[in-house]
Amino acid sequence: MEHAGRRLRILGDRPVSLAIPLSPGGPQPGHFHAPPADATPLSAGSFVGDTRAGGSCNCETVTVVTHCNGTHTEGIGHVTLDRVPVHGAAMAPLLPAGLVTVTPEDAARSGETADPPPAEGDTMITARVLEAALCAVPDSARRALAALVVRSLPNDPEKTRRDWMAPPIPPYFSLQAMERIVALGVRHLLTDLPSVDRILDQGRLAAHRKFWGLPAGSQDAGEASRPEATITEMIFVPGDLPDGLYALSLQLAPWALDAAPSRPVLYPVEPDA
């Protein structure tokens, strides 16, 4: 891969999936009071899609709320009147991506903002903590990232099955942090949080709109300066994966919706001598 004037070798035999496996009927993350993903055997006449019930094969009807039941990638159609399908977002098969780890800070003491203003006890990923974490990515590479993966601390496996509506409110991105990400030129943002905005934000989705270059409150995709950008939420980054530069394969289910289940995969890179 050519990146920032350097040739890099992608270590294709060391893939790291950031997708949370979704187990209908089993432990899974949840968000915004959506029902858990479920799967039931198809029943059609005398046919039952369950070999344990005498069926000839297994065939299930799956019910899923894409935004709330696990790892997903969303596009600008998430907030616009136009139903813009996310699977149409053009991207290279492999993207230069930075992985950074941040500790969200107390919102009230951060000096940074959100819309609506943070409530008492809220924590945010701020531009300050993000800037410090970006030092893990070489300076030349930092200026040419297509994607940014943000791992938040604490990073326990509970994220793979957490009910994100249970207290405390999960961290979210400050508007200044999102402005910094946009200034970097990042087109694909990935986070282990359920939303880049506060879960209960009066429907403003201000950080989403800032990332897509939409004016506050706008629902017109034609007003966006970055309509091709994507946000991937509810990933899980293994704790032993070091921060730095990677190659990202962002694999989306070809669903013609504003969001689709996705499987982001990181590959380590090294200089190509």
Side-chain angles (χ1 to χ4, degrees), residues 41-119:
L42 174 67
S43 178
S46 62
F47 173 79
V48 58
D50 188 341
T51 55
R52 296 164 298 185
S56 59
C57 62
N58 296 307
C59 180
E60 296 174 312
T61 299
V62 177
T63 304
V64 60
V65 181
T66 309
H67 286 281
C68 303
N69 292 146
T71 306
H72 62 278
T73 298
E74 59 197 33
I76 193 172
H78 185 38
V79 297
T80 62
L81 297 176
D82 301 301
R83 293 301 193 260
V84 183
V86 67
H87 81 289
M91 67 183 77
L94 290 168
L95 304 166
L99 168 62
V100 299
T101 302
V102 299
T103 300
E105 60 179 326
D106 182 84
R109 299 179 182 178
S110 69
E112 300 191 16
T113 59
D115 183 18

Side-chain angles (χ1 to χ4, degrees), residues 91 125 168 224 266:
M91 67 183 77
I125 295 173
L266 285 181

Side-chain angles (χ1 to χ4, degrees), residues 189-228:
L189 174 61
L190 297 85
T191 174
D192 54 9
L193 301 173
S195 177
V196 297
D197 279 294
R198 194 178 195 274
I199 281 183
L200 302 174
D201 73 339
Q202 301 170 21
R204 299 186 188 184
L205 286 90
H208 282 81
R209 285 186 163 84
K210 190 161 293 282
F211 185 69
W212 286 313
L214 270 174
S218 172
Q219 294 182 308
D220 183 355
E223 294 182 347
S225 61
R226 293 160 43 90
E228 76 293 345

